[in-house]
Amino acid sequence: MNQYVVLRIVTKLMIPVILLYGLYIQFHGEYSPGGGFQAGIIFAAGFVIYSLIYGLDKAQDAVPPEAAHVLAAFGVLLYIGFGLASFFLGGNFLEYKVLLPDDHAGETFGIIGIELGVGITVATVALSLFYSFAGRERD
């Protein structure tokens, strides 16, 4: 897409806005609609748009497929880690209020933590799926 200069420039301007909006949805999801799943899809969409305009190779240079796989596993481990931490601190699995001395602060901390794990996993799994389909060769 080297011949579409306007498209490349607009994309270069919009991708940071898309990623910033994904961060807003990620960390504001506790108080309004949104959260990890929506933020992860928005993040992945930003990288997919980048890949469509600048090429799959450049997108894979920015986020290598191996890193996406590791981050997907890390997100799941983060989610499980918050659940196990609350369990070993005397609560039930994912009972966040035991994570900090103040119940409300513990709930907030736990929700932000698991939503972060969900967001990382969703974004990297969606990106890995895109890499898999976009990297296929024609038969």
Side-chain angles (χ1 to χ4, degrees):
M1 295 228 170
N2 287 335
Q3 68 270 24
Y4 300 110
V5 175
V6 173
L7 189 59
R8 293 173 64 89
I9 291 173
V10 169
T11 301
K12 193 175 274 187
L13 293 174
M14 289 305 298
I15 286 177
V17 175
I18 292 170
L19 297 180
L20 188 63
Y21 184 66
L23 283 176
Y24 171 78
I25 294 295
Q26 173 72 49
F27 291 109
H28 203 261
E30 181 189 348
Y31 304 109
S32 65
F37 187 85
Q38 294 86 347
I41 292 298
I42 291 169
F43 252 85
F47 284 102
V48 168
I49 292 169
Y50 181 81
S51 175
L52 292 175
I53 300 300
Y54 293 99
L56 183 62
D57 294 339
K58 292 210 180 215
Q60 288 181 339
D61 287 343
V63 180
E66 298 82 15
H69 296 156
V70 169
L71 285 171
F74 173 74
V76 172
L77 290 176
L78 187 64
Y79 186 96
I80 292 171
F82 271 90
L84 290 177
S86 60
F87 180 75
F88 286 118
L89 290 172
N92 293 322
F93 189 77
L94 296 176
E95 186 178 354
Y96 314 119
K97 65 182 178 184
V98 298
L99 293 174
L100 295 175
D102 179 27
D103 287 354
H104 183 70
E107 295 265 347
T108 302
F109 179 68
I111 289 171
I112 289 173
I114 66 151
E115 290 291 336
L116 183 62
V118 169
I120 291 170
T121 299
V122 169
T124 52
V125 167
L127 193 59
S128 295
L129 286 172
F130 175 75
Y131 285 166
S132 296
F133 285 113
R136 290 179 44 194
E137 298 290 328
R138 289 187 175 256
D139 291 333

